[in-house]
């Protein structure tokens, strides 16, 4: 698997997720076998205007190779933003054309570009000409079921100079409901010569295999399936490389990993922000445990890491 001059040992990538795939989570997933990660999406306007939060979102640590994702609706601003991203040394610049969030799509960015293929082409071309690193594009199946145009969008991205395209097999209107459409990803793969990355509904080895076999994609991108489950990458790698099914993590392993994850968030963002963000992640790590709902309510009241630490030890002791 190659994107531009980059070679990847494995084909399971971590998807960019706003508010989730921060530096701490990206580093954790790479430790567990993710072959590639992408930053949370950054506003091209905010970045060109010197927004401090954008700089924090683009900071890359040990989780390499890592791409920087930007969004916007103006080719020149997007090109300028891509150049500014280079200060953080990303291996790839990724253009978000698939985010369905109303806040993004209603302002011309993200999935709204699915409604304007010509503008999407001009943005990709401007960015590709502005930076020396590979440029990739993340799209959806289409805006809605009456405008399925992923094949057209991917072909235009390739023509504009994109080195790869990621396709989420749902429309913007679907958001994350319903089932992923493997056929549209397969159609994109047949239509372009650049690598195609399949995205959507990958939660384990079986669904990863299904995505690869049904679409013939070059790599897979995992989003929600990695929440509270960074082991998904090592499990998929073992299955793809050796046809081996790894045992699931124990409760103790889950708790130790959760604590390490939260510690990293606190290291990068401070305890006040870190503990509030930890509430979301902890909910996934404790999913399926006895009394999970009660545990999650308790976690949502916590202010300090030591409180979470005590609860994690208690959970491990009671469940092993």
């Amino acid at each position: 698997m190659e994107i531009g001059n980059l070679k990847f040992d494995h084909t399971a990538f971590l998807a960019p997720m706003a508010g989730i795939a921060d530096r701490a989570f990206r580093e954790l997933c790479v430790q567990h076998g993710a072959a590639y990660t992408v930053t949370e999406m950054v506003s091209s306007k905010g970045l060109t205007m010197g927004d401090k939060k954008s700089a924090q979102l683009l900071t890359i640590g040990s989780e390499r190779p890592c791409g920087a994702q930007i969004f916007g609706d103006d080719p020149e601003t997007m090109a300028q933003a891509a150049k500014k991203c280079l200060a953080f040394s990303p291996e790839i610049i990724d253009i978000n054309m698939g985010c369905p969030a109303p806040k993004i799509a209603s302002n011309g960015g993200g999935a709204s570009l699915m409604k304007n293929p010509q503008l999407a082409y001009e943005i990709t071309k401007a960015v590709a000409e502005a930076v020396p690193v590979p440029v990739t594009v993340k799209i959806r199946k289409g805006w809605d079921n009456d405008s399925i145009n992923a094949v057209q969008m991917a072909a235009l991205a390739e023509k504009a100079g994109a080195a790869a395209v990621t396709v989420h097999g749902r429309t913007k209107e679907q958001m994350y409901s319903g089932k992923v459409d493997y056929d549209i990803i397969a159609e994109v793969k047949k239509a372009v010569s650049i690598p195609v990355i399949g995205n959507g509904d990958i939660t384990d080895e079986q669904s990863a295999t299904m995505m690869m076999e049904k679409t013939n994609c070059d790599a897979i991108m995992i989003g929600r399936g990695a929440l509270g489950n960074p082991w998904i990458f090592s499990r998929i790698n073992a299955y793809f490389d050796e046809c081996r099914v790894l045992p699931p993590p124990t409760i103790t392993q889950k708790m130790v990993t959760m604590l390490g994850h939260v510690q990293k968030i606190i290291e990068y963002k401070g305890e006040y922000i870190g503990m509030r963000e930890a509430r979301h992640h902890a909910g996934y790590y404790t999913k399926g445990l006895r009394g999970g709902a009660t545990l999650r309510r308790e976690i949502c009241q916590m202010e300090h890491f030591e409180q979470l630490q005590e609860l994690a030890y208690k959970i491990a002791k009671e469940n092993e």
Side-chain angles (χ1 to χ4, degrees):
M1 169 61 183
E2 297 182 11
I3 296 178
N5 59 348
L6 291 171
K7 295 183 179 180
F8 301 91
D9 294 332
H10 295 102
T11 54
F13 299 167
L14 174 66
M17 294 178 282
I20 300 293
D22 60 4
R23 178 181 173 185
F25 190 58
R26 295 195 305 268
E27 290 182 341
L28 176 64
C29 289
V30 166
Q31 289 169 13
H32 285 277
Y36 171 63
T37 69
V38 187
T39 68
E40 300 170 78
M41 61 180 178
V42 172
S43 165
S44 57
K45 290 180 182 178
L47 185 56
T48 55
M49 293 175 66
D51 177 53
K52 291 183 179 180
K53 184 179 179 182
S54 297
Q56 183 185 58
L57 293 174
L58 288 170
T59 299
I60 300 170
S62 61
E63 73 282 21
R64 294 187 179 276
C66 181
Q69 188 183 75
I70 55 176
F71 73 92
D73 62 351
D74 178 69
E76 183 178 347
T77 303
M78 287 287 281
Q80 292 175 2
K83 289 180 180 178
K84 286 187 173 291
C85 285
L86 298 178
F88 301 90
S89 302
E91 279 78 12
I92 287 173
I93 301 294
D94 186 61
I95 304 173
N96 186 315
M97 297 186 183
C99 178
K103 181 180 179 181
I104 306 299
S106 63
N107 287 311
S112 67
L113 290 171
M114 299 296 298
K115 296 190 294 184
N116 195 337
Q118 181 58 34
L119 178 57
Y121 168 79
E122 291 171 4
I123 287 173
T124 306
K125 189 172 188 294
V127 173
E129 291 176 349
V131 295
V133 299
V135 171
T136 58
V137 176
K138 193 169 190 292
I139 63 174
R140 280 188 166 241
K141 176 180 176 179
W143 177 262
D144 55 31
N145 284 330
D146 295 323
S147 56
I148 307 302
N149 63 344
V151 172
Q152 178 192 17
M153 290 284 288
L156 285 171
E158 180 177 26
K159 181 181 177 182
V165 60
T166 299
V167 185
H168 183 104
R170 288 184 176 85
T171 64
K172 183 271 177 189
E173 290 300 307
Q174 282 181 282
M175 297 288 283
Y176 298 100
S177 65
K179 294 183 178 180
V180 68
D181 184 348
Y182 296 114
D183 292 339
I184 192 67
I185 301 173
E187 289 177 29
V188 170
K189 175 59 184 172
K190 291 177 182 176
V192 299
S193 59
I194 56 176
V196 173
I197 303 161
N199 177 223
D201 290 353
I202 301 171
T203 57
D204 52 25
E205 300 93 325
Q206 289 72 32
S207 53
T209 301
M210 188 175 296
M211 174 66 79
M212 296 290 279
E213 291 183 347
K214 285 185 175 290
T215 69
N216 197 33
C217 62
D218 300 281
I220 56 176
M221 187 163 272
I222 303 161
R224 292 171 296 158
L227 296 178
N229 184 30
W231 305 274
I232 190 171
F233 297 101
S234 56
R235 292 178 66 88
I236 289 173
N237 292 341
Y239 192 74
F240 281 1
D241 294 349
E242 306 168 29
C243 293
R244 187 163 58 97
V245 177
L246 297 179
T250 64
I251 302 300
T252 296
Q253 287 173 325
K254 285 186 176 183
M255 293 301 98
V256 169
T257 300
M258 177 186 73
L259 291 175
H261 183 182
V262 174
Q263 275 185 312
K264 277 294 181 182
I265 299 175
I266 292 172
E267 178 184 337
Y268 297 144
K269 301 179 182 180
E271 187 174 50
Y272 181 83
I273 294 175
M275 284 303 297
R276 278 150 184 78
E277 292 190 0
R279 295 168 184 174
H280 182 79
H281 290 288
Y284 285 98
Y285 283 109
T286 57
K287 188 176 181 180
L289 296 181
R290 291 195 304 271
T294 302
L295 291 173
R296 287 187 283 278
R297 283 195 295 271
E298 189 174 343
I299 290 169
C300 284
Q301 303 301 316
M302 293 181 177
E303 299 283 340
H304 303 289
F305 178 72
E306 289 75 17
Q307 295 172 292
L308 182 63
Q309 205 169 27
E310 289 177 12
L311 180 63
Y313 292 150
K314 179 183 175 183
I315 291 171
K317 186 176 180 180
E318 291 178 353
N319 285 274
E320 292 291 6

